[in-house]
Structure formats: C-alpha cells, structure tokens
Amino acid sequence: GQNIDQPTEMTATEGAIVQINCTYQTSGFNGLFWYQQHAGEAPTFLSYNVLDGLEEKGRFSSFLSRSKGYSYLLLKELQMKDSASYLCAVRDGTDSWGKFQFGAGTQVVVTP
Amino acid sequence: DAGVTQSPTHLIKTRGQQVTLRCSPKSGHDTVSWYQQALGQGPQFIFQYYEEEERQRGNFPDRFSGHQFPNYSSELNVNALLLGDSALYLCASSLGAGGVSDTQYFGPGTRLTVL
C-alpha cells in the first residue's frame, strides 16, 4: 500500500538545527519533494530529490536514500518564521507525471 | 509572473448542494491537479488534468468531477455535498515535463464549509 510517515510535531530553539525524517512505501518512485506550509496558506516548494544523496539550498538541505525509503529535511539556523508544517511528498509511479502522495506533515515550533 | 490562482477564497454550502471551484494555473503550466486537505492532514490527491482530460484519479467518489479548458484553467465540481467534504481544496499546476521541472506549485486554496 501507500504510506508516508513523518513525525507529528517537533520543537526547537531559534538558531538551532532541526531534522525532519520521512519514510515512505509507495507503489513506485519518481522523486521526493518537501513543502513548507504556514497555517491557512498554500504549501510552498522547498526541495526535490530523485537520486540518493544530499541537496543543499541555503539554510535548508534534503537527503534521500531510495533503498531505505527514507528522506530527511534539515533546517539550519532556525528563525521564528520557520514555524510551519513541513510536508513530505512522493511522486509515485514510473511516469514523470505520477501523482503526489503527501505525508500528514510535521509541525515545527520554533521558540525564542 | 502570475502564480496559481483560485476562486472563491471561502465558500459555505449546505448538505446536498453542489459546488464549483475554479483554478488558473501558473503561466506556462499545462497540468492541473486538485487536492483535498482536511485540518491537520496532508493534501489528498483527487485528480489531475492534462490536455483537457482526466489523466489520473485518487480514491474519491464520482461526486467529485472536474474539467480543464483549452486555456489550461480548471474546475472542480462536487455534487451532493456531505459534512465530511468540508476542507481546504488546493489546486496545483505543473509543466508535466518530468524531473524538478514537474514540481507542483500550489494556489492559495478554497476553504469549503458544509453545514
């Protein structure tokens, strides 16, 4: 079946680092995406991984291991504005236009 | 460059009624996907439109239907509304070219409340 798991909530202090893990079991795999969603707003694209390894983008990095069905999003130098829900999504199937399967999201709370 | 737009922003309906939600994709995008997001949950895939046809569909009943127009804009129709249909409905557009170019970009959503 299709399953994407991520922790429900994480709390960290401003300036610290937080790592959000995501494990997935899908019928196919054609890329893993991370989105940030502030309360009441639309998800915004953060990162994309299709090959194993680390992708770095400023304060945000994302890692993928396809053999383990595992990814993480690393947020460095946390800022108050990083308080949001972080969604892990897998594009399944073998086609480039496969549908996205989303996890339930991880609520990150940044404290002063 | 206009992003994905959706209308209306909010909508209140009663059980049994029908609703139509609208979406205009990001400039240059030809593929539109619709999602339902309940409070505290991730978006659930409803269906995807490409070249005016439904290309794939998630686990939603036939009460959920859609349409894509020649200008790539799209509508989501829900018939015989149930209380459980109350959610944020998100439209996402993409290029359908594969790889990171096929990243989905989301609109602001339509908040539907069914009473």
Side-chain angles (χ1 to χ4, degrees), chain B residues 10-48:
Chain B
H10 295 87
L11 205 50
I12 298 175
K13 292 285 188 178
T14 56
R15 280 178 296 175
Q17 284 190 311
Q18 178 264 342
V19 69
T20 297
L21 310 181
R22 295 176 176 82
C23 170
S24 290
K26 185 178 166 66
S27 177
H29 284 184
D30 57 9
T31 301
V32 172
S33 302
W34 286 93
Y35 294 83
Q36 180 194 67
Q37 187 176 25
L39 204 60
Q41 297 298 314
Q44 297 295 310
F45 176 76
I46 301 175
F47 42 53
Q48 183 182 82

Side-chain angles (χ1 to χ4, degrees), chain B residues 1-5 23-32 71-72 91-95 103-106:
Chain B
D1 179 22
V4 181
T5 60
C23 170
S24 290
K26 185 178 166 66
S27 177
H29 284 184
D30 57 9
T31 301
V32 172
N71 66 353
Y72 307 122
C91 167
S93 75
S94 56
L95 193 54
T103 297
Q104 297 200 352
Y105 292 89
F106 286 86

Side-chain angles (χ1 to χ4, degrees), chain A residues 2-6 22-26 88-90 101-104:
Chain A
Q2 318 275 2
N3 206 31
I4 299 176
D5 289 318
Q6 47 182 132
C22 170
T23 58
Y24 63 89
Q25 285 181 302
T26 56
C88 172
V90 172
Q101 304 280 350
F102 280 86

